[in-house]
Amino acid sequence: MPSVINNACIKCGACASICPVSAMHLCDSQMVIDPDVCIDCGACIAECPVSAISTDAEADAATVQFNAEQAKVCPSAND
């Protein structure tokens, strides 16, 4: 299951630096994860200093939808 980032994100970028497939996107309010790119390795979950990342099974539906929608319009954090 892909990971998702909730609104506790502080946009520190720690998750983007560790992601092996560049699934992180930087939006105005927070980072998000592209569910079509995420390989569910879990590296970002352990790296997040504010515990803002979880699997989509653990997150509420609104957070899952927000990540999927915003990943399409926000620039990659690795650009």
Side-chain angles (χ1 to χ4, degrees):
M1 304 208 163
S3 297
V4 294
I5 302 177
N6 66 41
N7 62 1
C9 176
I10 58 172
K11 294 179 19 175
C12 68
C15 57
S17 66
I18 198 78
C19 182
V21 294
S22 301
M24 307 300 171
H25 290 261
L26 182 58
C27 298
D28 290 336
S29 61
Q30 70 180 64
M31 304 283 288
V32 295
I33 298 174
D34 186 336
D36 295 330
V37 176
C38 180
I39 59 171
D40 192 30
C41 68
C44 60
I45 294 172
E47 195 68 20
C48 182
V50 294
S51 301
I53 307 174
S54 63
T55 65
D56 66 354
E58 299 169 324
D60 60 80
T63 299
V64 173
Q65 182 177 358
F66 179 80
N67 275 249
E69 290 173 353
Q70 293 300 302
K72 291 177 178 34
V73 297
C74 294
S76 172
N78 296 92
D79 288 344

